[in-house]
Amino acid sequence: MGWFWADVAATSSSPSQRPAVPRHSQGAGDGSPPPSCPMHKRTADALNSSSCQRPATAAPPSSCPVPHGDRGALAEQQESTLSKLNPLNYMFQSISQAPAPNQTLALPTSREPSSIPKGTGDGYWEYPSPQQMYNALLRKGHTDTDITVVESMVSVHNFLNEGAWAEIVEWERWFGKGLWRGWEISKRGEENAPMVLRRLESQEGGYPEQPKLVRFQGRPREMTPKAAMLQMAGWLYPSRFGTEPPFDRHDWYVSRNVNGQTKEVRYVIDYYSGPPEETGDPVFFLDVRPAITPTGAAERLLRWGGDVWWKASGGEARFSSPEIRK
């Protein structure tokens, strides 16, 4: 989902020119991407441990099981491949804007700026052009890609990434200034949190510093623990938890200013497909949350626990009392 390139000069787009930010539950009207699109690669095979097993080969008698002769060539090959990747997004350093051989349809080469600031502070990440997207798919081996839907694929790709960033910004507004402040926002439940957050930010003099995306990594074949548990729960209780596995997974690394010190926070994003709209438009859901680190786990527990406690303790009835609201 998150294909950006940072190998060109940053655009000077103003905040008013940035794309509108969607919500996490999203539908797109440009048509469903084809099965060859990487967005549709299932991650359920991550649950199948047998897929990771390799056939054992018997070594000749009295021979060393380590292939010493191949070690240098293998290391050279791996180094050569890694040297071609951009460490900020684990994609190739640059993707050509030139038409592919035997390409039958001309694709736009213009790139859309995102609303996501770079971790370097020199502008915003840019999305790939349709021509770059098509060349990248071919380079990854998706030679059966329908070129007529590439522009729609780019639109869906950009739309979902803007939605993922909006969720991350919301998390940073809650917990970017510490766990105690996050609990003050969380303890009255999700439905009252926006009101509490606006009040706190008004008292503090405005929004906290805008987070920045330092780097990211697509990990479509590695299912997150939460997604794996949901799949297991769906197998046990299909009527309640049954859902398709996520079609993609990303890890985004975000810079957070903590008392003048920059801290890197990892966020995990699971991308799910939902039932299409009556019009046939595809629907997507994003599960965005901090990774399970000591701080990230505490943030998730406070936000989830605050909502559960508020509902279980009759918080809405107590809060609606005139004495409490004063």
Side-chain angles (χ1 to χ4, degrees), residues 15-305:
S16 61
Q17 294 173 322
R18 300 175 201 156
V21 177
R23 300 301 299 170
H24 69 284
S25 175
Q26 304 164 58
D30 293 320
S32 177
S36 60
C37 175
M39 295 190 306
H40 285 198
K41 296 298 180 184
R42 303 289 183 183
T43 58
D45 56 339
L47 291 176
N48 187 1
S49 59
S50 62
S51 62
C52 300
Q53 297 176 353
R54 300 178 181 177
T57 57
S62 71
S63 64
C64 178
V66 180
H68 297 279
D70 298 336
R71 186 185 300 173
L74 179 60
E76 181 179 354
Q77 179 181 0
Q78 291 177 341
E79 182 179 0
S80 176
T81 301
L82 291 175
S83 66
K84 299 178 183 179
L85 301 182
N86 186 341
L88 299 180
N89 55 13
Y90 298 92
M91 297 292 294
F92 293 105
Q93 294 281 1
S94 62
I95 299 294
S96 173
Q97 294 271 30
N102 303 320
Q103 183 173 324
T104 59
L105 179 67
L107 292 172
T109 58
S110 59
R111 298 174 60 182
E112 180 181 342
S114 74
S115 66
I116 307 174
K118 295 180 185 178
T120 55
D122 59 347
Y124 296 85
W125 290 85
E126 285 188 323
Y127 295 119
S129 68
Q131 183 65 63
Q132 285 180 312
M133 175 73 83
Y134 184 63
N135 289 340
L137 291 171
L138 295 180
R139 195 166 182 175
K140 285 178 171 287
H142 302 286
T143 56
D144 59 343
T145 300
D146 184 357
I147 194 173
T148 63
V149 299
V150 171
E151 290 188 63
S152 297
M153 290 166 57
V154 172
S155 297
V156 172
H157 164 272
N158 300 355
F159 182 79
L160 293 181
N161 280 315
E162 291 296 320
W165 183 247
E167 294 286 339
I168 290 175
V169 170
E170 192 74 3
W171 271 99
E172 289 296 303
R173 288 177 65 193
W174 281 41
F175 294 99
K177 292 186 177 181
L179 294 176
W180 178 256
R181 180 177 179 275
W183 170 247
E184 289 295 317
I185 298 169
S186 305
K187 67 182 182 180
R188 288 187 173 177
E190 291 281 336
E191 58 187 22
N192 295 307
M195 176 190 63
V196 178
L197 181 58
R198 287 193 300 269
R199 187 185 67 206
L200 284 176
E201 290 175 340
S202 177
Q203 295 171 354
E204 296 163 350
Y207 285 4
E209 181 178 339
Q210 173 83 338
K212 300 177 179 64
L213 178 60
V214 178
R215 67 185 188 278
F216 63 92
Q217 182 180 10
R219 304 170 66 180
R221 295 185 180 276
E222 300 178 46
M223 183 173 288
T224 63
K226 181 179 179 179
M229 287 189 292
L230 287 175
Q231 292 302 302
M232 181 63 67
W235 179 72
L236 295 173
Y237 305 102
S239 61
R240 182 175 178 83
F241 297 103
T243 182
E244 291 291 324
F247 59 78
D248 202 0
R249 174 253 177 104
H250 266 206
D251 288 12
W252 288 20
Y253 296 82
V254 175
S255 65
R256 174 187 293 181
N257 188 317
V258 181
N259 299 324
Q261 301 293 324
T262 300
K263 176 183 178 182
E264 196 171 274
V265 181
R266 180 166 67 97
Y267 282 87
V268 179
I269 308 169
D270 285 324
Y271 297 81
Y272 292 89
S273 294
E277 299 281 1
E278 294 181 358
T279 59
D281 295 337
V283 175
F284 304 97
F285 298 92
L286 308 184
D287 186 2
V288 183
R289 70 275 187 193
I292 295 294
T293 61
T295 302
E299 293 177 3
R300 292 166 65 170
L301 179 61
L302 289 177
R303 186 166 181 174
W304 174 79

